[in-house]
Amino acid sequence: MQRSFLLPYRFKPVGAVMMPAGLIIWIWGQLKLSQDSIAKVFMGIVPENAHLLKVTILVISFFSCLIGMFFLVFSKEKEEDEYVANLRLKSFQLAAFVQMTFFLLAFLYIFLFKKELSGDAGLELFLIASILLFWFSYISCYQFVLIKNKLQANEE
Amino acid sequence: MKNNIREERLEKAMTQQALAETIGVSRQTIFAIETGKYIPSAILVLKLSKALAKPVESLFSLEKSD
């Protein structure tokens, strides 16, 4: 049976490290990293360079998270077989359902409470959130079922 | 659909790992099939039948809800 478009297994552990690390650094950068805190670490840095450094950290961490997620989702298992292929399909179905529900509820909320998205940035954030929700739902479902089945099989 | 893969495997004194290696799947897949969590494809059913030397009808049977 053909299992196309999947990376070798060695990409999975790389993704498992890159995705959470990138996400944590990105959230930390958004919440805690300011030009003042950069100036404290790099004494004498000019404000423009501090801003550039912050943007660089945020961009690198965000793309690390995305690439890590790509590796995690699109790499083979150690033993890739039809059960895993079936689980991938079921997880995609669940993720699509979660995303569609999110879309419907979000638009219903906007319509009922007359809450407009604040400009292009608001729309971008909404779209990024819905895309990430899809992939997080997929990874959560897939890993949960796979790990649960492995644990139960090992208990026997 | 119910199956008696476990009973037939134990009768042949095979471990889940040995059966999995014979038909080229993971041990988790054999566990999922035996516990009814996963219904295998026709290809896998035929491989199981060959590995356990039993006809398909004696390994798998339909339930009322199928």
Side-chain angles (χ1 to χ4, degrees):
Chain A
M1 194 187 292
Q2 194 185 0
R3 309 233 183 276
S4 54
F5 306 120
L6 288 176
L7 297 165
Y9 172 72
R10 63 177 178 272
F11 284 91
K12 192 167 276 284
V14 177
V17 173
M18 273 177 78
M19 193 193 96
L23 186 66
I24 290 166
I25 295 170
W26 184 75
I27 292 170
W28 169 79
Q30 291 284 5
L31 297 176
K32 300 277 181 189
L33 197 63
S34 65
Q35 288 186 20
D36 292 341
S37 60
I38 292 171
K40 273 182 196 167
V41 177
F42 301 98
M43 279 186 288
I45 194 168
V46 290
E48 291 79 26
N49 287 348
H51 176 72
L52 191 67
L53 189 63
K54 181 184 173 178
V55 171
T56 307
I57 291 169
L58 288 176
V59 168
I60 290 173
S61 59
F62 184 72
F63 278 93
S64 297
C65 178
L66 280 188
I67 293 167
M69 193 184 285
F70 179 80
F71 285 169
L72 205 58
V73 171
F74 293 106
S75 53
K76 286 179 186 171
E77 288 300 315
K78 234 178 207 170
E79 292 168 294
E80 185 78 19
D81 58 21
E82 66 170 55
Y83 171 69
V84 174
N86 187 272
L87 183 58
R88 278 184 208 285
L89 184 66
K90 279 184 180 169
S91 304
F92 270 119
Q93 284 176 329
L94 181 93
F97 175 77
V98 169
Q99 192 191 40
M100 194 52 79
T101 307
F102 171 76
F103 263 123
L104 289 174
L105 291 178
F107 282 119
L108 204 62
Y109 175 77
I110 290 166
F111 176 72
L112 288 177
F113 297 98
K114 308 224 180 323
K115 300 266 185 189
E116 292 286 324
L117 294 169
S118 53
D120 288 347
L123 184 66
E124 272 177 32
L125 199 65
F126 174 71
L127 291 174
I128 288 172
S130 64
I131 291 167
L132 290 181
L133 181 71
F134 178 89
W135 291 114
F136 280 124
S137 306
Y138 169 80
I139 292 170
S140 309
C141 173
Y142 177 75
Q143 293 295 336
F144 175 76
V145 176
L146 204 65
I147 291 170
K148 191 177 147 202
N149 190 53
K150 264 182 194 168
L151 289 175
Q152 285 178 342
N154 290 339
E155 271 175 21
E156 277 213 340
Chain B
M1 191 160 79
K2 60 182 178 180
N3 70 74
N4 55 352
I5 301 285
R6 183 188 294 264
E7 291 76 15
E8 296 295 345
R9 175 175 63 78
L10 291 174
E11 200 177 284
K12 289 240 171 325
M14 278 178 106
T15 61
Q16 285 183 338
Q17 186 65 43
L19 180 59
E21 282 169 12
T22 310
I23 63 170
V25 295
S26 66
R27 192 169 79 83
Q28 287 76 33
T29 302
I30 298 294
F31 172 78
I33 294 169
E34 285 185 353
T35 50
K37 286 179 186 170
Y38 174 62
I39 297 171
S41 69
I43 295 173
L44 208 51
V45 166
L46 292 173
K47 283 182 178 177
L48 281 166
S49 165
K50 195 177 171 186
L52 296 168
K54 291 277 173 186
V56 172
E57 301 80 34
S58 70
L59 293 176
F60 295 90
S61 55
L62 290 171
E63 289 178 296
K64 274 186 182 173
S65 56
D66 291 323

